Structure formats: structure tokens, C-alpha cells
């Protein structure tokens, strides 16, 4: 026989039976076991081997659809051997006609028994005769009775009957005959198949995978399949397909083949088994015995008996039916016209049973039927989905509830919740709900909690005029039930306004909060206070520690994305760019998809701004493009100026003026110029005009940005250094006096700290001085910019320094600084820096005479520069790691690469080497 896994004893018994049959002994074998235990495979293997040995093999398979057809199995056995029937003189129709007559009698009919005995004796003339009957539990009673009578009359005929059956399946009368008579016959051998062991499962898997892989997969595979050979083969087919697609697939995962295999087993069982499986699949996780029984119209005890039946063999276990592929296959077996009715019954049943709203809502979403209590369940399910971070599901529940809810208070409440949730993912979609919500707000029907997302959406979409008269409602809630929530949600709006429309913020009427350094108040309140202090030019004292505390709370899940973004902007606007980079990366990693596309886009834009301020133009452009691509342009609303501004700034600095102009051609909502983003956009456009030589247009944009910042009392020099930029425009026009006045005013307003902004100011101020006064000021600017990490402006400052030395006749210093500037600019991805005419001529004439000291600076990355600089000052690797918020291993990697680029071997060589790179 064909070798089967862990069936040695059974195969040996069948071989013995065949041997005895060949010697003229009539035998019967009953192979029992649950569904998918390998009974059919064992029977087929025996039949093939018997036929190969010269035996006459006749086969039949019983079916639950034919179990009431009298003599159906006998007719199936003999019709497959027509030649022998004719030789015996038995007509094709005789047995069938006799069977109809026999159906009216409960006793054996001698004429029929005589016909059958003659036929079987004829078949045994070429011994031996093997009769194979699969799924005998579905046999008709008459066939079973006549086979039993034949066994008693065949005597020493060389015939064996081998049948398979599942315990506790089939008609009661068939089960009684199997148990009481056939299995008790002296010549009947019973074989009970056991599930495959873990070793057996591994042996099956070795047909598909390497030995090591099969052994690793065996424990989980056996647990999933219950040791059923059919399911093990199906699982292997699914897994081998996944492993071909992905080398990362390591664990067995049930797929379509597994689902089809389980469904085929259920089809071969009693109809009630499939019915219970369909009910369980429909109910999902909430599939208690009571719920399943009610959905099937049965009592729980009956359901329990079927589920634990030996014949079913665990196919109705929750772990198996809970596999997505199995559930999908079972649900697909329900006819379409019945599926809707079953889901409707399931939804009502689950609601009555007090099932979780998420479970009931799953069924409500799949039926097209108005149910009075559905709206409440869908809204509750939306809240639970939001708590679990599944915003898409929450939105679908709320949209369905809003669609089916009649006009009234409930519909407004759902629309307000939708406006809040939908905005995080697609702000443009909120527009459809705003008219009803604005009207409800004017009628005083919205709570402060509901009003906050409405105001936010109106501002986002530039509908500023509708917001102003709502501010009184925000201060004086018209509904008594608002309570303390009114203050809390109003504070959220106070945080949002300075980030978007600072011109409206003063009208909010909120009093100042506690001092920043006492840690009191909510994260939203502290972040708003810190950002407000910076925007008002209050400096970084107190604001930076408060912002970093909020950021720590954000990573712990205790602060909102809005407060996190505000805290991050505090670090950016106070020139703590290294810290800002670390925090922004950590926030982006922790956000994932839970906070929605809007916040991801805003934090990605913030990362682009950090890259730009550090001079990493390539990364800044990449991140700004990534932010813009996260949402359709119509979803950006007035905030589209944020990524556009950064793209204009970076491409202008890179010398890609055509690309920068293409971003300027994109339409921008007029309301955007009432936002801080609009001020940055004006600054970016001014830089573009300056690069194009349009000095009047540049000056107009810089002064317009300054006018808005002063108007909003947000004239922080480090947010937008409009005075420095306007001074540069004045200098290009030859108006040195006006430039010096602006720079003097700028220096007087600059708080302590803010090194990057201070370095930019010194660089611009140097251009207003006499030629011999410039180098010391430029050297001071270069040292400041070097320490704060702004490589781009350091490059421009060194270029200015080279020009100054060239004009003063110090060619050596000019070449040294010019080459360093060009190397830095190239590292930043900036446009080539202009050279002094005399220096350019000398370089063309004798570049080959340059010494090693005059070569461009090595190409260290910005991260490597920060690590190397701290190491040169004597900091240990552990100290550097703590200061830069990176691992010690990362520090070591940066130093190794830097040593190689600098051509040194020891840490002690760093100070002298760096002194040659940056003054």
C-alpha cells in the first residue's frame, strides 16, 4: 500500500485482512474517525494496492443527499460493474425496481437478497472481491441491512467489505445498525484513526519544506490543524505560496486553501454542522452557545452536543472558525439571499444579548434595513473604534448613523463628531457638514466641545469671517451641561489659534495661565503658553523646558498632537534645532497612522523646516514633498502654504529657480495670509524674488511679513527674520542706511539665546560696515552658525569672508575660506557660490599650485559634524549620546566614518583637524 503518515498499524491490519480474504475468509473492516482524520485516504490507498494485487475492487461513496434512497449504495456498487451484472443475467433495472418495492417494507426481501447474492458470488469468481464504502454513516438503511445479510450468507467467499464512518453522524437507524450489529460481528475489525502527532505533522510538512523549516512549523501547525492530515496539507499549500512571495514569512498562517479544506469537511458533515458553523461565523467573536442556538433556532444543549460530537472532531472550535480565511469561506457558503436575513437576525440578537457595540455594528453595516436603535449602537461603536485607533471604521460607523438619522438634535451631534474625526484624515470632506453645524451653532445648539472642531475646520478651510462671532459662544457656553468641559475644550482652541490664525487669538478673551516653569496646567495649556511666550519675543527661558516636558508627555501618550506640534515649534523658533530634530523623529515614529494624515503631514512639514534651518536642503525638499503628498491639495486648505513655503525656500537655495517658480504658481487661499504659515510663505517668496534680482518685489514681501507679525504681536525674530532679509534687499538696492536701521532694531529685539538668528544678523550687519571692519564680524557670525549647526548660512558667511579678504588683498585667507564655503555649500546641496573675480582668475590660472591645506573640507554629514565637534571638545561617547539623544553605538559609527574622511586615526587629532576646517 501507499505509505501514509502515522498509519502503520492500520495499514498492517488492512494487509492482514487482504491476506485472509485471499485465502477465502469473508471479512469486514470499519474505519472510524472524525471529519478530516484521513479515513478516505486510508481507504483509497488500500483499494489501489488491492487492485494492483489483482483483486476486484468495487467502490461507493455515501452522501447525505441520497441517504433516503432505498438500496442506493448497492445500486452504486453494482452499476459501476455492468459487465459482471450482464454475465450474471441480472438486468440493470431489476435492482432499482426491486428497491422501490423494498422501500415500503422494513424486512429483507428474499428476491432482492437472491439477486444480490448472485451478483456478488459472480464477482467473487475472480477472487478476492474488495467492497469499499466511504462515509458509511450516510448509507441508506436498506443497503446496510442487505450488506449485513450478505455477510452472513457469503460464508467462506473471498470477499471483504471495508467502510469508513464518522461517529455520531447519519440517521439514527444507520448508527444503531453500525454500533449494535456490524461492529459486533466476529469477522469485523474496527480501526479508530487518531490525529497526527507533532512528529507526524512535521513529516507531512517535509513534503513541502526543508527538514528544518518543517520542524519549526510543526508545533503551531498541529495546534491550528488539530492533527488532521487534510488540513495540514492545505495549510502547507498556503504557507509555501506565502514563503515564495516573502522570505520574511516564518509562521504558519491559514490562507484560502485552508479555508476551502475546512469548508469541504463541513459540507461532508450533517447539515446542522454547517448551519452551526455559519451561525458562528456570522456572530464572529460573540459566538456563545446561547447566541448560536438562538440564531439557529435550536436549544443550547443540542448545539453543545453537535459541537463536541466525536464525528465533528473539533471543526467547530472557536480557534479554528476564528481564522479569517475559514470564516470568509464559511460566510461565503451562505446563499446571498439568506445572508442579509441572517445578519439582520444576528444584529438584533447581539443587541438583545448585550454584545459589544463594535460586534453589533459589524452586522448593521452589512444590512440595508432601518433599525430604530442602530444609530445609538453605531455611535457607541465609533467611540470604541476611535479608542482602538481605527479611525476609518469609526468614520464609516458615524457616516452610516448620520445618513439614517432624521433631522434633529441627534443628527447635529453625529455631524459634530464626524467633523472632529474626519478632519484628521480628510479636512476637505468636513465641508459637507459645516453648513448645518454653523446654523446649529448660531441657534446655540452646540456645546463648547462640539464647537471646537467646527471652528477649527472653518479656520482650516479659510472661512475666517464665520469664526469671529462664534468666539463669544466659546467664552459663554449657552448650554448648562457644558460644565468644566467648556474650559478644557476652549483651551484646545486657544492652542490652535496661535498656530494658524494669530490675528484672532487676542479676541479669545482667555486669561494668561500659570508660569511656565511650575509644571501646572494641562499639556495643552503649557504648550500654548510656551509658544505664546516665544512668539511675543519672550525668549527661551522657561519656554524650552516647558516644551520638552510636553514632548515627553506626548511620547507617553499624555499630550495631544496639537500640543506636541506647538512644543516642537518652540524648539525650532528658539534655534534648538538638534533637540527639535530628535523630538520630531521620535514623534513621527510614535504617531504612525493613529493620529491621521493631517498631523502626520504637519509633523513631516516641521521636520522639513528643521532640515532647512540646519542647511540640509536635499532632506528638506524630500520631507516637504512627502508632506505635500500625504493629502490631496484641496485637503490642505489654508495650511498648504506650510509645505509650499519650504519647497520654495529649499529649491531657491539649491538654485532650482524654475522649480521654485512652479510652486509659486500653485494657487494659495487668500485666508492663508492671516496665518503664521502665510508669513513664512511671504518670506519664501521674498527669497525667490531676491534670487531673481527683483529687489523691490522681495522688499515688499519681507516688509509685508513684518507688518503682519507686528500687527499680531508675534514679532519673534527667529520665526521669520524679516528685518534681516529686508536689509539684504536694501543692500542690493544700495540703501545701506535703511539696512543698518533695520538690523539695529532687529538686534535690540533679539532675546538671549537664538544663536542661529543672531548669526544671520551678524552676517547681514557686516555688509553695512567698512571693508576692514567686516572680517571680525563675519568670523563671529561663522563661529555662531557653526555651533548651532546651520551649514548653509555658514557656507554663505564663509563666502562673504573670502570676498572680504580678497578685497583687502589677503589672497591666502580668501582662498581658504572660499574653498571651505564651496565645500559646505556642496554638502548642503546649495547652488554654487559666487567667487570674487580676482580669486576666480587666479584659480583658473594656477589651480594646480594649491597645497593640501587649501583643498575643500572633507564631506562630513551634519550628524557626523555634531558628533566630531563634541568629541573634539573632550566629551566622552556616553556624554555625546546623551546630549544628542542617540545611542553610544551610533556615536562610535559616526566617529569611525569621520576619522576615515578626515584621514586621522586618533581622537586627540580632532581639535587640530577641525580648526583647519572651520574658523
Amino acid at each position: 500500500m501507499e505509505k501514509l503518515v502515522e498509519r502503520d498499524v492500520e495499514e498492517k491490519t488492512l494487509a492482514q485482512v487482504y491476506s485472509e480474504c485471499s485465502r477465502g475468509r469473508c471479512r469486514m473492516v470499519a474505519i472510524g474517525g472524525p471529519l478530516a482524520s484521513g479515513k478516505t485516504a486510508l481507504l483509497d490507498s488500500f483499494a489501489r494496492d488491492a487492485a494492483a494485487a489483482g483483486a476486484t475492487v468495487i467502490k461507493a461513496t455515501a452522501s447525505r443527499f441520497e441517504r433516503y434512497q432505498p438500496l442506493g449504495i448497492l445500486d452504486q456498487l453494482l452499476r459501476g460493474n455492468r459487465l459482471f451484472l450482464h454475465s450474471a443475467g441480472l438486468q440493470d433495472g431489476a435492482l432499482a425496481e426491486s428497491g422501490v418495492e423494498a422501500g415500503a417494507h422494513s424486512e429483507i426481501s428474499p428476491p432482492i437478497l437472491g439477486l444480490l447474492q448472485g451478483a456478488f458470488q459472480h464477482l467473487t469468481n475472480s477472487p478476492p472481491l474488495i467492497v469499499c464504502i466511504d462515509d458509511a454513516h450516510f448509507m441508506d438503511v436498506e443497503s446496510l441491512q442487505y450488506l449485513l445479510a450478505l455477510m452472513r450468507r457469503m460464508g467462506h467467499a473471498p470477499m471483504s467489505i471495508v467502510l469508513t464512518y464518522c461517529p455520531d453522524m447519519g440517521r439514527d437507524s444507520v448508527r444503531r445498525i453500525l454500533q449494535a450489529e456490524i461492529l459486533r460481528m466476529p469477522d469485523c475489525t474496527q480501526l479508530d484513526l487518531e490525529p497526527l502527532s507533532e512528529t507526524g505533522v512535521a513529516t507531512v510538512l517535509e513534503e513541502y519544506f526543508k527538514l528544518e523549516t518543517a520542524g519549526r512549523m510543526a508545533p503551531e501547525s498541529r495546534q491550528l490543524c488539530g492533527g488532521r492530515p487534510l488540513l495540514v496539507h492545505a495549510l502547507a499549500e498556503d504557507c509555501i505560496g506565502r514563503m515564495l512571495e516573502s522570505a520574511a514569512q516564518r509562521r504558519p498562517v491559514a490562507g484560502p486553501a485552508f479555508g476551502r479544506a475546512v469548508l469541504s469537511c463541513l459540507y461532508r458533515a450533517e447539515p446542522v454542522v454547517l448551519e452551526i458553523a455559519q451561525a458562528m461565523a456570522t456572530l464572529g467573536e460573540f459566538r456563545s452557545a446561547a447566541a448560536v442556538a438562538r440564531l439557529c433556532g435550536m436549544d443550547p444543549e443540542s448545539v453543545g452536543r453537535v459541537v463536541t460530537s466525536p464525528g465533528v472532531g473539533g471543526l467547530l472550535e472557536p480557534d479554528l472558525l476564528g481564522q479569517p480565511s475559514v470564516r470568509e469561506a464559511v460566510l461565503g457558503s451562505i446563499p446571498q439571499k439568506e445572508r442579509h436575513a441572517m445578519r439582520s437576525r444576528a444584529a438584533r440578537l447581539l443587541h438583545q444579548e448585550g454584545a459589544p457595540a463594535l460586534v453589533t455594528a459589524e452586522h448593521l453595516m452589512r444590512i440595508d434595513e432601518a433599525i430604530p436603535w442602530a444609530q445609538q449602537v453605531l455611535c457607541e461603536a465609533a467611540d470604541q473604534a476611535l479608542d482602538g485607533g481605527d479611525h476609518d471604521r469609526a468614520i464609516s460607523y458615524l457616516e452610516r448613523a448620520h445618513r439614517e438619522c432624521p433631522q434633529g438634535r441627534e443628527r447635529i451631534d453625529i455631524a459634530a463628531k464626524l467633523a472632529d474625526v474626519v478632519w484628521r484624515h480628510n479636512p476637505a470632506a468636513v465641508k459637507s457638514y459645516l453648513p448645518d453645524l454653523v446654523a446649529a451653532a448660531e441657534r446655540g445648539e452646540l456645546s463648547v466641545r462640539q464647537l471646537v472642531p467646527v471652528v477649527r475646520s472653518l479656520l482650516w478651510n479659510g472661512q475666517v469671517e464665520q469664526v469671529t462671532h462664534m468666539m463669544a459662544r466659546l467664552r459663554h457656553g449657552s448650554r448648562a451641561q457644558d460644565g468644566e468641559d467648556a474650559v478644557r475644550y476652549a483651551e484646545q482652541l486657544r492652542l490652535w489659534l496661535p498656530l494658524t490664525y494669530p490675528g484672532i487669538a487676542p479676541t479669545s478673551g482667555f486669561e494668561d495661565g500659570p508660569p511656565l516653569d511650575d509644571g501646572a496646567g494641562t499639556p495643552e495649556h503649557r504648550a500654548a503658553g510656551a509658544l505664546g511666550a516665544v512668539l511675543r519675543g519672550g525668549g527661551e527661558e522657561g519656554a524650552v523646558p516647558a516644551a520638552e516636558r510636553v514632548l515627553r508627555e506626548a511620547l507617553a501618550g499624555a499630550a495631544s498632537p496639537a500640543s506636541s506640534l506647538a512644543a516642537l515649534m518652540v524648539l525650532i523658533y528658539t534655534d534648538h534645532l538638534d533637540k527639535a530634530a530628535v523630538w520630531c523623529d521620535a514623534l513621527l515614529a510614535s504617531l504612525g497612522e493613529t493620529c491621521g494624515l493631517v498631523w502626520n503631514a504637519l509633523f513631516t512639514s516641521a521636520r522639513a523646516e528643521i532640515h532647512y534651518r540646519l542647511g540640509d536642503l536635499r532632506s528638506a525638499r524630500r520631507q516637504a514633498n512627502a508632506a505635500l503628498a500625504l493629502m490631496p491639495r484641496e485637503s490642505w486648505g489654508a495650511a498648504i502654504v506650510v509645505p509650499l513655503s519650504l519647497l520654495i525656500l529649499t529649491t531657491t537655495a539649491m538654485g532650482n529657480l524654475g522649480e521654485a517658480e512652479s510652486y509659486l504658481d500653485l494657487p494659495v487661499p487668500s485666508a492663508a495670509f492671516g496665518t503664521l504659515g502665510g508669513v513664512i510663505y511671504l518670506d519664501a517668496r521674498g527669497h525667490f524674488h531676491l534670487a531673481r534680482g527683483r529687489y523691490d518685489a522681495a522688499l515688499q514681501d519681507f516688509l509685508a511679513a513684518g507688518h503682519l507679525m507686528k500687527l499680531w504681536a508675534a514679532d519673534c525674530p527667529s520665526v521669520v527674520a524679516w528685518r534681516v532679509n529686508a536689509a539684504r534687499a536694501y543692500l542690493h538696492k544700495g540703501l545701506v542706511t535703511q539696512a543698518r536701521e533695520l538690523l539695529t532694531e532687529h538686534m535690540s529685539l533679539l532675546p538671549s539665546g537664538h544663536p542661529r538668528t543672531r548669526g544671520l544678523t551678524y552676517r547681514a550687519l557686516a555688509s553695512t560696515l567698512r571693508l576692514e571692519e567686516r572680517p571680525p564680524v563675519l568670523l563671529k557670525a561663522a563661529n555662531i552658525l557653526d555651533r548651532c549647526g546651520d551649514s548653509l548660512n555658514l557656507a554663505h558667511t564663509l563666502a562673504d569672508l573670502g570676498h572680504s579678504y580678497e578685497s583687502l588683498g589677503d589672497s591666502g585667507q580668501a582662498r581658504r575660506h572660499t574653498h571651505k564655503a564651496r565645500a559646505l555649500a556642496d554638502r548642503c546641496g546649495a547652488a554654487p557660490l559666487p567667487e570674487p573675480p580676482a580669486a576666480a582668475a587666479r584659480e583658473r590660472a594656477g589651480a594646480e599650485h594649491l597645497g593640501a591645506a587649501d583643498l575643500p573640507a572633507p564631506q562630513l554629514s551634519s550628524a557626523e559634524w555634531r558628533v566630531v565637534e563634541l568629541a573634539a571638545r573632550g566629551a566622552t561617547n556616553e556624554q555625546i549620546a546623551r546630549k544628542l539623544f542617540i545611542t553610544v553605538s551610533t556615536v562610535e559609527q559616526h566617529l569611525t566614518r569621520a576619522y576615515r574622511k578626515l584621514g586621522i586615526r586618533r581622537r586627540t587629532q580632532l581639535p587640530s583637524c577641525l580648526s583647519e576646517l572651520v574658523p
Side-chain angles (χ1 to χ4, degrees):
M1 294 189 297
E2 178 185 342
K3 185 65 177 175
L4 300 176
V5 176
E6 292 190 337
R7 296 293 182 253
D8 295 342
V9 174
E10 291 82 2
E11 289 178 330
K12 186 179 296 184
T13 301
L14 289 172
Q16 181 64 32
V17 167
Y18 179 80
S19 176
E20 294 177 3
C21 177
S22 300
R23 295 196 298 267
R25 183 180 176 185
C26 187
R27 294 291 303 274
M28 177 175 281
V29 180
I31 303 173
L35 292 166
S37 58
K39 302 183 299 296
T40 300
L42 181 61
L43 180 66
D44 290 344
S45 177
F46 173 66
R48 285 194 300 270
D49 289 345
T56 299
V57 179
I58 59 175
K59 300 169 66 176
T61 300
S63 168
R64 60 187 176 91
F65 301 108
E66 299 179 10
R67 55 183 164 178
Y68 295 105
Q69 180 181 343
L71 301 180
I73 288 298
L74 288 174
D75 185 50
Q76 187 183 152
L77 286 170
L78 297 177
R79 282 185 186 274
N81 296 272
R82 281 191 174 205
L83 176 61
F84 301 112
L85 289 175
H86 284 302
S87 301
L90 184 64
Q91 298 294 325
D92 287 343
L95 184 61
E97 292 171 2
S98 300
V100 174
E101 181 182 355
H105 301 83
S106 58
E107 297 181 356
I108 297 294
S109 170
I112 298 176
L113 184 59
L115 287 171
L116 290 172
Q117 188 171 355
F120 277 87
Q121 285 177 341
H122 174 76
L123 291 172
T124 58
N125 289 336
S126 300
L129 172 64
I130 305 297
V131 180
C132 298
I133 303 174
D134 200 13
D135 290 341
H137 49 277
F138 285 139
M139 287 178 66
D140 59 280
V141 179
E142 293 78 13
S143 293
L144 191 56
Q145 288 175 331
Y146 279 98
L147 282 174
L148 184 59
L150 280 172
M151 286 292 295
R152 296 191 183 104
R153 286 164 174 75
M154 294 301 288
H156 295 288
M159 180 180 79
S160 290
I161 299 177
V162 184
L163 55 85
T164 68
Y165 72 99
C166 284
D168 293 341
M169 282 197 186
R171 296 167 63 181
D172 291 341
S173 55
V174 173
R175 290 207 304 269
R176 282 197 299 270
I177 294 172
L178 282 171
Q179 295 293 332
E181 298 192 46
I182 292 181
L183 297 180
R184 293 180 179 274
M185 293 178 63
D187 290 328
C188 180
T189 299
Q190 182 174 355
L191 299 177
D192 292 322
L193 300 189
E194 296 293 331
L196 297 179
S197 67
E198 185 176 308
T199 302
V201 171
T203 303
V204 174
L205 294 176
E206 286 172 18
E207 300 177 22
Y208 300 86
F209 309 103
K210 294 180 180 179
L211 182 63
E212 180 184 355
T213 304
R216 186 180 64 248
M217 293 174 58
E220 289 188 64
S221 298
R222 187 184 188 280
Q223 184 178 3
L224 182 59
C225 301
R228 304 173 184 89
L230 175 66
L231 300 190
V232 176
H233 282 284
L235 181 63
E237 291 177 14
D238 285 327
C239 291
I240 197 169
R242 284 187 171 85
M243 288 184 177
L244 288 174
E245 294 174 4
S246 172
Q249 177 68 34
R250 297 298 181 194
R251 301 178 65 248
V253 178
F258 189 85
R260 291 191 297 268
V262 173
L263 184 61
S264 70
C265 296
L266 295 173
Y267 274 132
R268 294 184 64 181
E270 293 283 359
V272 68
V273 176
L274 180 60
E275 183 181 352
I276 291 174
Q278 290 171 339
M280 287 181 166
T282 300
L283 290 171
E285 296 179 3
F286 198 82
R287 45 177 174 261
S288 64
V292 173
R294 289 186 61 185
L295 189 58
C296 295
M298 301 170 61
D299 60 271
E301 291 77 12
S302 299
V303 171
R305 282 195 298 272
V306 174
V307 171
T308 58
S309 167
V312 174
L315 283 176
L316 295 179
E317 289 295 326
D319 289 344
L320 185 61
L321 287 179
Q323 295 295 320
S325 62
V326 176
R327 188 183 183 203
E328 182 181 351
V330 174
L331 288 175
S333 70
I334 305 174
Q336 184 65 36
K337 60 182 180 181
E338 298 177 14
R339 198 175 304 166
H340 181 276
M342 180 173 280
R343 286 200 178 276
S344 179
R345 294 199 313 273
R348 288 178 166 83
L349 171 62
L350 291 169
H351 183 62
Q352 294 168 4
E353 292 283 333
L358 276 173
V359 178
T360 308
E362 181 182 350
H363 299 282
L364 293 174
M365 294 296 291
R366 289 172 171 80
I367 61 175
D368 187 15
E369 182 179 353
I371 301 178
W373 44 263
Q375 168 201 323
Q376 178 184 356
V377 172
L378 289 168
C379 291
E380 185 179 346
D383 290 336
Q384 294 175 4
L386 287 174
D387 291 340
D390 193 344
H391 293 82
D392 290 338
R393 181 184 289 190
I395 291 171
S396 66
Y397 291 157
L398 290 172
E399 287 176 341
R400 174 70 180 267
H402 184 263
R403 197 162 53 245
E404 295 186 356
C405 185
Q407 296 291 336
R409 175 74 244 171
E410 294 79 9
R411 184 178 175 87
I412 291 298
D413 289 343
I414 296 172
K417 185 176 292 187
L418 266 171
D420 187 17
V421 178
V422 171
W423 177 85
R424 306 174 201 175
H425 299 269
N426 185 10
V430 181
K431 293 179 182 179
S432 60
Y433 305 108
L434 288 180
D436 290 343
L437 290 172
V438 170
E442 291 174 349
R443 297 192 298 267
E445 296 178 356
L446 293 185
S447 67
V448 173
R449 176 177 184 173
Q450 294 170 326
L451 193 61
V452 168
V454 175
V455 172
R456 181 184 62 196
S457 295
L458 289 171
L459 291 175
W460 184 271
N461 289 293
Q463 297 171 285
V464 182
E465 64 281 358
Q466 297 189 43
V467 175
T468 305
H469 65 277
M470 289 187 182
M471 302 311 297
R473 168 72 187 95
L474 192 61
R475 293 193 301 270
H476 313 292
S478 63
R479 294 174 62 186
Q481 59 266 38
D482 287 351
E484 295 181 359
D485 279 353
V487 176
R488 182 160 57 92
Y489 287 102
E491 285 179 354
Q492 290 184 9
L493 187 57
R494 180 191 180 186
L495 169 65
W496 182 249
L497 290 177
L499 290 173
T500 53
Y501 288 87
I504 301 177
T507 67
S508 61
F510 294 111
E511 297 179 358
D512 290 337
L516 295 175
D517 56 355
D518 69 356
T522 64
E524 287 78 8
H525 195 102
R526 283 181 273 113
L531 180 60
V534 172
L535 292 177
R536 291 192 301 270
E540 62 184 275
E541 184 178 355
V544 171
E548 289 192 283
R549 177 176 177 176
V550 171
L551 291 170
R552 284 192 294 271
E553 292 170 329
L555 290 182
S560 67
S563 60
S564 305
L565 183 61
L568 186 63
M569 300 314 293
V570 168
L571 298 182
I572 295 174
Y573 292 158
T574 55
D575 292 340
H576 288 77
L577 300 177
D578 285 340
K579 289 183 179 180
V582 173
W583 282 114
C584 192
D585 289 341
L587 288 168
L588 280 169
S590 66
L591 279 176
E593 298 180 359
T594 57
C595 291
L597 292 178
V598 171
W599 291 113
N600 270 286
L602 291 175
F603 277 102
T604 304
S605 297
R607 191 63 180 97
E609 182 165 2
I610 295 169
H611 280 305
Y612 172 74
R613 289 179 178 236
L614 286 171
D616 189 351
L617 299 180
R618 298 183 185 91
S619 296
R621 182 171 65 172
R622 184 178 65 253
Q623 291 284 65
N625 273 315
L628 194 61
L630 279 173
M631 295 189 296
R633 287 179 187 168
E634 58 270 16
S635 290
W636 274 95
I640 196 172
V641 292
V642 176
L644 284 183
S645 299
L646 290 164
L647 286 170
I648 295 166
L649 285 168
T650 54
T651 51
T652 298
M654 297 173 83
N656 302 330
L657 299 184
E659 183 180 349
E661 193 164 17
S662 70
Y663 296 125
L664 284 166
D665 289 339
L666 295 177
V668 171
S670 58
F673 295 98
T675 71
L676 281 176
V679 171
I680 298 173
Y681 183 87
L682 288 171
D683 179 67
R685 193 171 67 184
H687 277 81
F688 171 78
H689 289 317
L690 208 58
R692 283 287 196 200
R694 303 168 185 166
Y695 305 129
D696 288 331
L699 183 61
Q700 183 178 352
D701 279 337
F702 293 140
L703 294 178
H707 170 73
L708 291 175
M709 294 180 73
K710 290 192 291 186
L711 180 66
W712 297 336
D715 193 10
C716 175
S718 58
V719 175
V720 171
W722 65 271
R723 292 178 179 84
V724 173
N725 298 328
R728 289 176 56 206
Y730 276 132
L731 288 171
H732 280 289
K733 291 166 59 70
L735 303 174
V736 178
T737 302
Q738 290 88 333
R740 186 179 294 115
E741 290 176 356
L742 276 179
L743 292 171
T744 302
E745 181 184 8
H746 184 84
M747 289 293 287
S748 67
L749 295 174
L750 195 61
S752 59
H754 298 258
R756 176 179 177 273
T757 309
R758 194 173 299 277
L760 296 178
T761 308
Y762 280 128
R763 181 204 166 199
L765 186 62
S767 299
T768 67
L769 303 176
R770 294 193 303 272
L771 189 60
E772 63 274 12
E773 296 175 337
R774 293 179 185 178
V777 178
L778 288 172
L779 283 170
K780 186 174 184 179
N783 286 323
I784 294 174
L785 292 170
D786 177 38
R787 287 196 298 271
C788 70
D790 186 349
S791 300
L792 177 64
N793 282 295
L794 174 59
H796 286 297
T797 303
L798 292 175
D800 290 350
L801 193 57
H803 295 179
S804 298
Y805 279 125
E806 181 68 27
S807 299
L808 292 170
D810 190 342
S811 302
Q813 288 280 29
R815 285 199 304 273
R816 178 168 174 260
H817 291 295
T818 298
H819 284 305
K820 291 178 182 178
R822 288 164 56 188
L824 276 174
D826 182 63
R827 185 183 307 153
C828 294
L833 298 177
E835 296 183 16
R842 275 195 302 274
E843 184 159 333
R844 285 193 298 269
E848 65 277 7
H849 298 296
L850 290 176
D854 299 313
L855 294 176
Q859 298 294 311
L860 297 183
S861 68
S862 57
E864 291 166 355
W865 271 100
R866 290 192 289 272
V867 170
V868 165
E869 182 183 22
L870 291 172
R873 294 176 184 174
T876 66
N877 289 359
E878 291 77 7
Q879 292 170 334
I880 296 172
R882 286 195 300 271
K883 182 175 181 62
L884 299 181
F885 300 95
I886 56 179
T887 65
V888 174
S889 175
T890 303
V891 172
E892 293 170 350
Q893 293 171 21
H894 286 328
L895 285 174
T896 299
R897 287 193 293 268
Y899 289 170
R900 185 172 60 251
K901 293 177 181 179
L902 296 172
I904 62 177
R905 295 185 177 182
R906 289 183 295 278
R907 199 186 196 96
T908 54
Q909 295 176 275
L910 280 174
S912 60
C913 184
L914 291 186
S915 66
E916 294 297 324
L917 295 177
V918 179

